[in-house]
Amino acid sequence: MTAGAPAGRLAGKIALVAGAGSSGPGWSIGKASCVTLARQGAAIVALDADLAAAEDAAHEVEQAGGSALPVQADVADPAAMQAALDAALRRYGRIDVLQANAGIGKVGGPEDITLQEWDRIQQVNVTSLLIATRLLAPLMRDQGGGAIVTVSSVAGIRYTGYPHLAYSVSKAAVIHFARMAAQQYAADRIRVNTVIPGLIDTPRVARNVARMFDADARAASAARDRQVPIGRMGTPWEVANAVAFLASDEASYITGTELVVDGGLTGKYA
Ligand SMILES: NC(=O)c1ccc[n+]([C@@H]2O[C@H](COP(=O)([O-])OP(=O)(O)OC[C@H]3O[C@@H](n4cnc5c(N)ncnc54)[C@H](O)[C@@H]3O)[C@@H](O)[C@H]2O)c1
């Protein structure tokens, strides 16, 4: 954070947001998280496979008065992640927070997906956690601790009304990875938790809804709103606030668990 910026619950911390960009114009969860973590005092490493998306997120952080380094890397590529981490350490010297936010999917059931598509989804959504954790945990251990926040989905704990098999299975694995890693690293003061977003209004979702219901995307979006007990989709900022809490020292006694941010959606089917 630049001198004079307001101190917050993440003052002095360095946060790496993996999947920091947005897959379309507007605010994604990653981009809103970059700005939210920065407003709380963290300097941001905005990592994305799409360099322009990483630069856009970094630009928004700077617009908000924060400090950010955009880096390009595919979270499923260990060499690229090592290079990104090296660049981050050259700039900031440490990493206190990892938000593992990159996620991809393909709508459909077992007969609608190729093995290659299945493998790629698991690599980006799950194997990436192994890659990032193996890189960052030793660093965080040497620094005296850290916080990892993974990003799952309600699709990882419930059927969401349409088949999204590869994504749903991967998002269930995200939760269990975090639970297991939390046990592994608790003594090293590295906390590992998961945020479980519900139906969030991001550019990706707007595009998917338009594609699935091309007759009337606005009506489909309104139908998504009505599904939720609170009466609307969530905003990426509402997910980012949960990430910021779990990343901060206010959550110092919280590890190996999940924070569901879904406006009551999964409670309907409990
Ligand atoms: N939007 C929702 O309703 C919703 C709900 C539940 C969970 N989530 C999860 O939240 C996360 C963010 O969702 P969003 O809708 O804001 O996404 P988004 O698609 O708008 O943004 C994701 C970003 O990740 C980047 N990315 C994709 N693959 C990558 C890779 N291999 N390496 C590095 N970067 C990569 C993309 O370039 C993009 O900038 C995802 O994990 C998603 O599964 C979203």
Side-chain angles (χ1 to χ4, degrees):
M1 198 62 149
T2 50
R9 51 155 67 120
L10 295 169
K13 295 194 191 293
I14 314 298
L16 191 164
V17 179
S22 177
S23 56
W27 290 95
S28 64
I29 292 171
K31 201 160 98 174
S33 297
C34 287
V35 170
T36 299
L37 298 175
R39 283 185 183 144
Q40 297 289 339
I44 307 297
V45 181
L47 182 152
D48 205 283
D50 176 349
L51 181 60
E55 287 173 343
D56 177 39
H59 174 72
E60 292 293 349
V61 167
E62 280 160 8
Q63 289 290 106
S67 168
L69 173 71
V71 287
Q72 181 176 27
D74 176 347
V75 292
D77 178 343
M81 288 300 287
Q82 177 72 67
L85 178 60
D86 291 345
L89 291 175
R90 276 196 301 278
R91 170 74 175 267
Y92 292 118
R94 57 186 289 131
I95 303 286
D96 302 287
V97 173
L98 166 68
Q99 178 182 350
N101 183 70
I104 59 170
K106 184 185 180 213
V107 172
E111 296 162 43
D112 305 314
I113 191 162
T114 66
L115 286 181
Q116 287 80 4
E117 288 168 332
W118 172 277
D119 285 346
R120 178 64 181 159
I121 290 166
Q122 307 314 319
Q123 280 165 16
V124 171
N125 296 3
V126 186
T127 310
S128 62
L129 301 180
L130 177 67
I131 293 168
T133 303
R134 281 153 72 128
L135 284 173
L136 284 168
L139 191 74
M140 289 177 170
R141 183 191 298 128
D142 289 348
Q143 291 171 182
I148 296 173
V149 182
T150 68
V151 179
S152 176
S153 164
V154 288
I157 54 173
R158 296 286 190 284
Y159 185 68
T160 49
Y162 59 93
H164 209 181
L165 183 72
Y167 179 78
S168 303
V169 169
S170 76
K171 290 299 188 180
V174 166
I175 295 168
H176 209 58
F177 181 95
R179 289 181 182 174
M180 297 298 102
Q183 295 300 320
Q184 181 94 36
Y185 293 114
D188 296 318
R189 298 165 50 91
I190 302 169
R191 298 181 299 99
V192 190
N193 292 292
T194 299
V195 166
I196 303 184
L199 304 178
I200 309 302
D201 196 4
T202 65
R204 176 173 69 147
V205 166
R207 201 179 55 236
N208 288 351
V209 166
R211 203 179 286 147
M212 283 167 68
F213 307 93
D214 53 6
D216 191 347
R218 191 185 296 238
S221 180
R224 261 170 83 84
D225 285 340
R226 279 196 304 275
Q227 269 181 272
V228 185
I230 277 185
R232 60 171 176 82
M233 287 184 269
T235 71
W237 304 98
E238 290 170 316
V239 180
N241 286 336
V243 172
F245 167 64
L246 289 173
S248 78
D249 293 341
E250 288 174 20
S252 53
Y253 203 56
I254 301 176
T255 197
T257 193
E258 299 85 44
L259 187 45
V260 180
V261 185
D262 74 348
L265 182 66
T266 49
K268 274 170 66 170
Y269 310 112

